[in-house]
């Protein structure tokens, strides 16, 4: 059962099929270019798209908009220390701003950065700083409890190949967004800490979905089955030298992010702080209004309350079950924020170079006004990843009727899948790591 009720609602409307066809064509067959009012059920992302609580809305009115020394920043500092265990933070306008601050301070030309799996903006920021992002996921099978884990042996092999001195940081993303939102165990985080120590590297945890990961740990890791989500949230981050966070995920806010740095790492903190001032704004607002700082401070505390996070994870599982009932191949068990559909299996006749995931994304919009996102060859060119479509559930936003509509839309697409063609790129930006945001495509006749 959902652990919330609605106090305000927003009207949504399903455009007719002719209008959907036109919107898709005008968007260059790229779901990012669709206008929001042309979308019926929007599962593009969970980043900043959720509904805030009444306590968060109340907190907006307490926002201290002082340029320096904002009391609202102090409230966020206290929340981060209480919930995540980091006493020093550098605020940013969102997660990718925090990535720019952190990786720009850490990396130099020719560095290598292993990660359980890099997401799009992480890859781009590392490449932009002159580094080489290297994916080190474990080999796992659908159904395994912690498919998101880092392959620490692969990290050691990388160090042997390129030299430990060229690996300034080891990164673990929790949950592993690129790998179907799968969780990471604390046992694996501790192993990552050990390998980082051996390489004299910093351990960075991308903690955007730290609360969802903590919940999975309480359900699947025997050592923590009697622990609270809040306690596990702190424990899993205790191994990190620094964290990078988008407050638009488990901060339950619509904007904002930050870098957290250990109290004893003065060098990294000062480097990050100065980059934050340069790119984001002064150290006590970092591109956010005081009201946004307040909303995130409340949201971080709410995120580790079991009734909230349990209902969050259960809703994602509910969507997964509905899709499986109509024969849709998904990654199992479902993660904490999204259902990942195996587009390669759903559309086996479309080769990866013709973007089966994008073909499915376009078909979902055309059939039912549902917007998802491709996470395959278009989003991660040349990485040999699975051809996935991610269906992200905004927090505290949709109800079962919406999920049933998504399943019905998939069933309708399945009936016509033999009519679907692949896509080709008409125009793309120079930085291929970010091409899926703005590329123009067209169907292959």
């Amino acid at each position: 059962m959902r652990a919330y009720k609605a106090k305000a609602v927003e009207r949504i409307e399903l455009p007719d099929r002719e209008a959907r066809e036109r919107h898709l064509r005008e968007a260059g067959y790229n779901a990012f270019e669709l206008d929001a009012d042309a979308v019926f059920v929007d599962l593009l992302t969970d980043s900043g798209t959720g509904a805030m609580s009444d306590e968060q809305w109340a907190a907006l009115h307490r926002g201290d908009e002082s340029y320096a020394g904002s009391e609202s920043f102090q409230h966020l500092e206290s929340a981060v220390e209480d919930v995540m265990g980091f006493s020093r933070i550098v605020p940013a306008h969102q997660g990718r701003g925090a990535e720019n601050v952190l990786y720009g301070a850490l990396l130099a030309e020719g560095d290598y950065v292993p990660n359980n799996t890099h997401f799009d903006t992480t890859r781009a920021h590392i490449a932009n700083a002159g580094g080489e992002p290297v994916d080190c996921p474990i080999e796992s099978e659908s159904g395994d409890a912690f498919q998101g884990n880092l392959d620490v042996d692969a990290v050691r092999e990388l160090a042997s190949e390129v030299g430990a001195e060229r690996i300034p940081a080891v990164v673990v993303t929790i949950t592993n967004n690129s790998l179907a939102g799968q969780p990471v165990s604390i046992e694996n985080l501790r192993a990552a800490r050990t390998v980082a120590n051996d390489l004299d590297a910093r351990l960075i945890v991308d903690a955007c979905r730290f609360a969802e990961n903590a919940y999975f740990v309480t359900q699947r890791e025997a050592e923590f089955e009697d622990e609270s989500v809040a306690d596990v949230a702190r424990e899993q981050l205790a191994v990190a030298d620094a964290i990078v966070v988008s407050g638009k995920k488990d901060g339950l806010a619509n904007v904002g992010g930050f870098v957290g740095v250990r109290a004893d790492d003065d060098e990294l903190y000062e480097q990050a702080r100065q980059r934050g001032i340069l790119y984001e704004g002064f150290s006590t607002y970092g591109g956010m209004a005081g009201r946004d700082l307040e909303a995130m401070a409340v949201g971080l505390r709410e995120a580790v309350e079991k009734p909230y996070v349990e209902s969050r994870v259960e809703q994602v599982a509910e969507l997964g079950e509905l899709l499986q009932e109509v024969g849709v191949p998904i990654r199992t068990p479902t993660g904490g924020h999204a259902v990942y559909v195996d587009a390669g299996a759903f559309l086996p006749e479309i080769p990866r170079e013709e973007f089966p995931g994008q073909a499915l994304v376009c078909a979902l919009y055309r059939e039912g006004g549902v917007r998802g996102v491709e996470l395959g060859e278009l989003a991660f060119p040349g990485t040999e990843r699975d051809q996935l479509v991610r269906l992200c559930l905004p927090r505290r936003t949709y109800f079962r009727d919406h999920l049933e509509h998504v399943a019905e839309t998939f069933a309708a697409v399945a009936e016509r899948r033999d009519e679907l063609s692949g896509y080709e790129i008409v125009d793309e930006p120079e930085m291929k790591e970010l091409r899926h945001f703005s590329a123009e495509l067209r169907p292959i006749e």
Side-chain angles (χ1 to χ4, degrees), residues 98-107 113 122 125-126 129 171 204 244:
E99 287 178 329
N100 178 48
V101 166
L102 179 61
Y103 295 121
L106 271 177
L107 304 182
V113 182
T122 316
H125 278 297
I126 290 171
V171 182
I204 310 301
V244 59

Side-chain angles (χ1 to χ4, degrees), residues 123-147:
R123 294 183 66 85
H125 278 297
I126 290 171
N128 190 57
E132 180 69 28
V134 180
D135 292 338
C136 298
I138 61 165
E139 292 186 8
S140 63
E141 297 181 1
S142 189
D144 290 350
F146 290 103
Q147 298 173 46

Side-chain angles (χ1 to χ4, degrees), residues 87-403:
S87 60
R88 295 202 293 189
I89 63 172
V90 178
H93 72 282
Q94 65 178 67
R96 69 190 61 182
E99 287 178 329
N100 178 48
V101 166
L102 179 61
Y103 295 121
L106 271 177
L107 304 182
E109 189 76 29
D111 284 341
Y112 288 79
V113 182
N115 191 331
N116 50 345
T117 318
H118 291 86
F119 200 57
D120 50 15
T121 60
T122 316
R123 294 183 66 85
H125 278 297
I126 290 171
N128 190 57
E132 180 69 28
V134 180
D135 292 338
C136 298
I138 61 165
E139 292 186 8
S140 63
E141 297 181 1
S142 189
D144 290 350
F146 290 103
Q147 298 173 46
N149 281 355
L150 173 75
D151 186 339
V152 293
D153 291 332
V155 177
R156 294 188 189 278
E157 290 174 9
L158 176 66
S160 297
E161 293 172 8
V162 305
E165 70 280 359
R166 298 178 69 185
I167 302 178
V170 176
V171 182
V172 183
T173 303
I174 60 172
T175 56
N176 192 334
N177 190 11
S178 293
L179 221 64
Q182 295 297 311
V184 176
S185 69
I186 290 183
E187 179 183 20
N188 185 248
L189 284 163
R190 290 169 177 168
R193 173 74 271 170
T194 298
V195 74
N197 288 345
D198 293 344
L199 302 179
D200 195 25
R202 289 184 173 92
L203 178 62
I204 310 301
V205 173
D206 184 325
C208 292
R209 298 178 178 87
F210 76 100
E212 292 165 9
N213 198 83
Y215 176 77
F216 283 122
V217 167
T218 66
Q219 300 301 301
R220 301 180 187 177
E221 197 163 359
E223 180 183 347
F224 302 98
E225 62 184 7
D226 296 324
E227 300 292 329
S228 69
V229 174
D231 287 344
V232 171
R234 286 178 60 93
E235 178 68 24
Q236 69 187 355
L237 299 177
V239 298
D241 295 304
I243 56 175
V244 59
V245 178
S246 167
K248 298 166 67 175
K249 281 82 170 179
D250 280 353
L252 310 189
N254 299 130
V255 71
F258 58 88
V259 174
V261 181
R262 285 292 171 207
D264 60 355
D265 197 341
D266 293 330
E267 179 184 10
L268 179 58
Y269 172 71
E270 191 56 31
Q271 288 176 333
R273 181 172 180 263
Q274 294 305 318
R275 282 185 65 84
I277 292 171
L278 176 61
Y279 288 102
E280 296 295 319
F282 189 63
S283 308
T284 56
Y285 75 92
M288 286 183 281
R291 56 185 175 272
D292 300 321
L293 297 166
E294 292 282 1
M296 196 195 308
V298 175
L300 287 170
R301 297 183 188 278
E302 291 181 348
V304 293
E305 295 173 354
K306 184 177 180 180
Y308 157 73
V309 69
E310 185 171 61
S311 66
R312 163 74 171 158
V313 171
E314 286 176 350
Q315 187 178 45
V316 174
E318 182 181 14
L319 175 58
E321 291 165 3
L322 288 170
L323 293 178
Q324 286 181 304
E325 287 174 6
V326 294
V328 179
I330 67 171
R331 287 293 296 266
T332 58
T334 49
H337 70 290
V339 176
Y340 289 70
V341 176
D342 187 340
F346 191 83
L347 299 174
E349 302 303 316
I350 299 179
R352 64 181 296 126
E353 62 269 18
E354 295 180 8
F355 312 122
Q358 193 66 16
L360 179 54
V361 167
C362 291
L364 291 172
Y365 179 74
R366 186 183 295 110
E367 287 295 332
V370 175
R371 177 159 64 173
V373 67
E374 190 263 11
L375 293 182
E377 184 62 26
L378 180 62
F380 302 108
T383 60
E384 298 301 317
R385 297 189 186 184
D386 292 340
Q387 303 306 297
L388 302 177
V389 167
R390 185 186 70 178
L391 306 172
C392 253
L393 281 165
R395 293 163 178 82
R396 302 184 289 207
T397 300
Y398 291 124
F399 297 89
R400 186 175 175 89
D401 286 352
H402 302 103
L403 308 189

Side-chain angles (χ1 to χ4, degrees), residues 399-411:
F399 297 89
R400 186 175 175 89
D401 286 352
H402 302 103
L403 308 189
E404 290 175 345
H405 175 78
V406 174
E408 291 164 2
T409 300
F410 264 95

